[in-house]
Amino acid sequence: MKQIILTGDRPTGRLHLGHYVGSLKKRVELQDSGKFDEIYIMIADAQALTDNFENPAKVRENVIEVALDYLACGLDPDKVNIFVQSTVSALTELTFYYTNLVTLSRLQRNPTVKNEIKARGFEKSLPVGFVNYPISQAADITAFKANCVPVGEDQLPMIEQTREIVHSFNSIYDNILVEPEALIPDDISARLPGIDGKAKMSKSLGNCIYLSDSEEEIKQKVMQMYTDPNHLKVSDPGQVEGNVVFTYLDVFAKAEDFPKYLPDFASIDDLKNKYRQGGVGDVTIKLFLNNILQDFLRPIREKRQALSHNIGAVYDALAKGSAVAQQKANETLREVKKAMRLNYFTDDEFKKEIAEKYQ
Ligand code: TRP
């Protein structure tokens, strides 16, 4: 079986460190693993409109911002097809046919959608497009015959929904769709808390460090990070658990950072022990983390800046990826319509049958 990946993001804002740790890093590894025959990375503008339909300018603007973030992190348009969802019209057509295979109550049971409905105040008047988006996501995945969908845990209900659609399609019509598997990050370091200590870095919470943040913005955010509220004086014992600076250090600090930036400490364990005992100030650990994050983000930001000065090339890459995606999705749509007996003018057997019946 062909090894095919599809995944994507809604373009509702620039991407941040949480995206990097939770998905972008893994995508670049998968891209370079040589294990996949085709990789599609979708900028889900049509899905973004399901809860931003009144703000198309925001979605449009962020398509290019997300593309810049992708390329700056090392996704390579020569190896992966980065495409814009709305340019692949076969996806909407597939969505329409799949809606027959799903009940409204099934959609309303989706726990991720349930939470999102609450968060967006859609309880009283729920747009059909919004509650329908898991079906459209099934179209995204199946159009490319993707067997592997690298996503965060919150997307598991969408993959489950897709598998159900595939199952009923294949048993009712013909066995042509591929049942996908989710690929979920396996280590907890893939989930980065916000700088305020909230469980998730999220644009709406305003607790993000963006991949495109300037040196000053990064430093300001690090200095503002949530640590241990009871660690008031340097000499006080400090708590490491739940201390955002240490959570980030666990993810980003490398052995060589200690001699370089914090030579009084031998390792992360040494630093943690001494912080617990008392005598290590928050400013010390924050400046250390700042140095590390600056080193990490500088090349990404610089690459992003260089790309943004040649935005025509970025659009060309998206157009190229979109053309490949259109072709693949059209092929699947053709098969789907054939399986559903909707291929009136291309099915010779059907034409013969009709000619005989009505002669
Ligand atoms: N729902 C995903 C998100 O919000 C984006 C997305 C749309 C997606 N279609 C997809 C992800 C298909 C994986 C597969 O991030």
Side-chain angles (χ1 to χ4, degrees):
M1 189 171 82
K2 269 198 168 178
Q3 296 300 310
I4 301 178
I5 287 180
L6 176 117
T7 187
D9 299 281
R10 294 183 192 182
T12 52
R14 290 174 293 148
L15 301 183
H16 50 63
L17 267 183
H19 290 116
Y20 183 85
V21 168
S23 66
L24 296 171
K25 180 166 172 258
K26 182 80 185 171
R27 289 183 199 172
V28 175
E29 284 166 17
L30 293 169
Q31 159 190 281
D32 295 331
S33 71
K35 289 192 186 136
F36 292 90
D37 299 297
E38 297 166 31
I39 302 181
Y40 299 91
I41 311 278
M42 181 179 77
I43 304 182
D45 62 339
Q47 188 177 109
L49 283 172
T50 63
D51 60 340
N52 290 278
F53 50 87
E54 287 166 311
N55 207 348
K58 168 176 144 190
V59 173
R60 183 189 175 101
E61 238 164 65
N62 282 305
V63 167
I64 196 74
E65 297 292 337
V66 168
L68 284 169
D69 287 326
Y70 283 170
L71 299 176
C73 285
L75 287 176
D76 177 354
D78 288 330
K79 297 183 186 156
V80 302
N81 300 297
I82 303 175
F83 73 97
V84 181
Q85 185 183 28
S86 66
T87 67
V88 183
S89 46
L91 298 177
T92 34
E93 224 174 310
L94 288 172
T95 303
F96 185 72
Y97 295 128
Y98 294 168
T99 54
N100 297 326
L101 307 176
V102 183
T103 65
L104 194 52
S105 62
R106 174 64 185 88
L107 289 174
Q108 286 170 328
R109 267 205 315 276
N110 182 315
T112 299
V113 174
K114 258 192 192 168
N115 288 337
E116 289 173 331
I117 287 172
K118 243 186 245 147
R120 286 158 181 72
F122 281 160
E123 292 113 318
K124 284 229 167 65
S125 67
L126 178 58
V128 173
F130 188 78
V131 72
N132 192 46
Y133 93 73
I135 304 184
S136 126
Q137 197 154 330
D140 301 335
I141 296 168
T142 54
F144 299 93
K145 305 245 170 114
N147 61 322
C148 175
V149 186
V151 281
E153 225 171 331
D154 65 322
Q155 295 294 302
L156 280 177
M158 312 304 158
I159 312 300
E160 196 43 46
Q161 179 74 76
T162 304
R163 293 167 61 88
E164 288 173 27
I165 290 174
V166 169
H167 191 76
S168 32
F169 185 96
N170 285 351
S171 53
I172 297 171
Y173 303 112
D174 199 359
N175 201 4
I176 58 171
L177 298 180
V178 174
E179 254 184 67
E181 304 270 355
L183 182 64
I184 303 289
D186 44 14
D187 63 308
I188 43 158
S189 70
R191 176 173 284 200
L192 211 57
I195 58 168
D196 56 358
K198 297 230 170 79
K200 220 175 145 181
M201 204 178 256
S202 136
K203 188 179 18 109
S204 51
L205 296 173
N207 61 4
C208 306
I209 296 178
Y210 291 96
L211 298 172
S212 46
D213 273 350
S214 68
E215 198 174 330
E216 299 71 44
E217 285 167 318
I218 297 164
K219 182 162 183 193
Q220 203 192 351
K221 289 176 182 179
V222 172
M223 297 317 281
Q224 203 179 290
M225 268 182 182
Y226 180 86
T227 55
D228 168 6
N230 299 316
H231 184 237
L232 297 174
K233 285 186 283 172
V234 173
S235 56
D236 288 341
Q239 192 168 324
V240 165
E241 289 70 31
N243 183 319
V244 177
V245 177
F246 280 102
T247 310
Y248 280 50
L249 285 174
D250 280 334
V251 176
F252 291 101
K254 298 185 291 309
E256 62 262 33
D257 292 322
F258 286 88
K260 201 164 154 198
Y261 294 124
L262 205 60
D264 290 348
F265 299 85
S267 65
I268 188 72
D269 289 334
D270 185 31
L271 180 62
K272 282 182 182 172
N273 284 336
K274 290 177 178 155
Y275 187 86
R276 283 194 183 104
Q277 285 161 15
V280 181
D282 281 354
V283 172
T284 303
I285 58 169
K286 284 177 172 176
L287 289 175
F288 181 48
L289 176 63
N290 177 57
N291 280 321
I292 293 170
L293 287 184
Q294 295 292 353
D295 284 352
F296 176 75
L297 288 168
R298 191 176 307 110
I300 295 178
R301 181 177 59 243
E302 285 173 358
K303 187 164 179 199
R304 201 182 189 283
Q305 257 156 12
L307 288 159
S308 71
H309 291 134
N310 191 9
I311 208 74
V314 177
Y315 271 106
D316 287 347
L318 287 182
K320 194 186 94 186
S322 298
V324 176
Q326 285 154 20
Q327 204 177 356
K328 173 88 183 197
N330 282 338
E331 248 167 66
T332 304
L333 177 63
R334 213 172 304 128
E335 288 176 56
V336 161
K337 290 180 80 170
K338 179 169 182 225
M340 295 180 74
R341 318 293 289 135
L342 299 172
N343 59 336
Y344 306 100
F345 310 124
T346 51
D347 182 343
D348 289 338
E349 226 169 275
F350 171 74
K351 280 198 265 182
K352 212 173 104 201
E353 236 172 73
I354 288 292
E356 277 164 16
K357 184 168 172 193
Y358 292 96
Q359 67 184 336

